[in-house]
Amino acid sequence: MAHKLPPLRFGYDALEPYIDAETMELHHDTHHQGYVDNLNKALEAYPQLAELTVEDLLHGLDQVPEAIRTAVRNNGGGHVNHRLFWDILGPRGDGAPKGAIADEINRDFGSFEHFQSLFTDAATRHFGSGWVFLVVNPSRHRLEIVSLPNQDSVLGQGTPGLLCCDVWEHAYYLKYRNRRPDYLGAWWKVIAWDAVDERLRDVRAATAGR
Ligand code: MN3
């Protein structure tokens, strides 16, 4: 079973003017597709890994043969990071969370505005390519902001991601050039908070009683 690129749930131009159609098309069809293709290529010679999900592979990275471990880490990570990124974006971003996600953000960060400023600060200061995530810390049961380099995935640490922001230049350079803060300001406008809330509810349901 080869890994596959999931289609976008909306058109390339659906996030205009915040994220431009050309960036979306290139980012999804070329960059994300590239991670999927390279993951499949790395796994080709290892039929014993063919039935594993990408989550299994990343969670058990130390059991992946050394010859392909870096390729699986980078390309498997690139695949799941982008999948989460597309999942939590949407054309009807309404600016602020509601429901359980709003309650937990308020509980763990004091207010949405404070959370937003901490997350933006982490994304602005992140050196080089990488990602900033909002995760559920499984041992503390609290929401946390985590920055990771390259295409590293929070799945490797066993922390489910609720939200992620791509700070690789390919995510914004066509429209925003080197103005990462402008891209971040626009990115907040296209978050589908319903989808983030749904992810939180799934995590809470899966870990209930543990
Ligand atoms: Mn990217």
Side-chain angles (χ1 to χ4, degrees):
M1 263 296 288
H3 298 274
K4 285 203 178 79
L5 177 69
L8 275 181
R9 307 188 318 287
F10 40 78
Y12 299 124
D13 62 353
L15 306 183
E16 293 270 12
Y18 303 109
I19 302 183
D20 59 293
E22 191 184 4
T23 295
M24 287 297 292
E25 182 169 2
L26 200 65
H27 199 173
H28 179 267
D29 293 10
T30 305
H31 289 277
H32 190 171
Q33 181 73 64
Y35 296 118
V36 172
D37 291 346
N38 287 327
L39 175 63
N40 286 326
K41 207 178 291 171
L43 293 170
E44 240 166 31
Y46 300 86
Q48 72 275 25
L49 303 178
E51 296 306 315
L52 297 181
T53 64
V54 65
E55 289 84 358
D56 293 335
L57 288 166
L58 292 169
H59 201 227
L61 206 52
D62 51 346
Q63 285 163 59
V64 169
E66 207 179 337
I68 59 164
R69 198 174 297 153
T70 300
V72 169
R73 176 181 181 155
N74 290 340
N75 295 293
H79 180 27
V80 294
N81 287 343
H82 286 91
R83 205 171 53 185
L84 174 59
F85 187 61
W86 310 131
D87 270 358
I88 54 89
L89 294 180
R92 297 189 307 120
D94 53 7
K98 290 188 213 56
I101 184 67
D103 295 343
E104 295 205 15
I105 284 174
N106 287 333
R107 182 196 65 200
D108 295 341
F109 299 100
S111 68
F112 174 61
E113 291 67 28
H114 188 54
F115 159 70
Q116 207 175 16
S117 77
L118 292 174
F119 193 102
T120 299
D121 192 45
T124 306
R125 285 185 299 104
H126 184 92
F127 183 74
S129 297
W131 294 79
V132 180
F133 300 84
L134 175 66
V135 302
V136 181
N137 180 313
S139 53
R140 299 178 58 229
H141 299 282
R142 299 178 79 79
L143 306 189
E144 290 179 354
I145 296 167
V146 171
S147 293
L148 292 177
N150 307 317
Q151 291 296 354
D152 283 0
S153 157
V154 290
L155 294 175
Q157 317 170 336
T159 49
L162 302 177
L163 176 75
C164 64
C165 184
D166 191 342
V167 297
W168 283 59
E169 286 183 343
H170 69 226
Y172 59 89
Y173 211 84
L174 286 181
K175 182 176 172 81
Y176 294 101
R177 301 297 161 180
N178 57 339
R179 302 187 305 277
R180 188 188 285 183
D182 291 356
Y183 155 68
L184 296 171
W187 175 79
W188 285 111
K189 308 270 192 209
V190 288
I191 294 176
W193 284 104
D194 290 357
V196 184
D197 188 51
E198 204 178 306
R199 295 188 70 84
L200 175 66
R201 287 168 192 277
D202 288 348
V203 171
R204 291 305 182 206
T207 55
R210 267 192 219 165

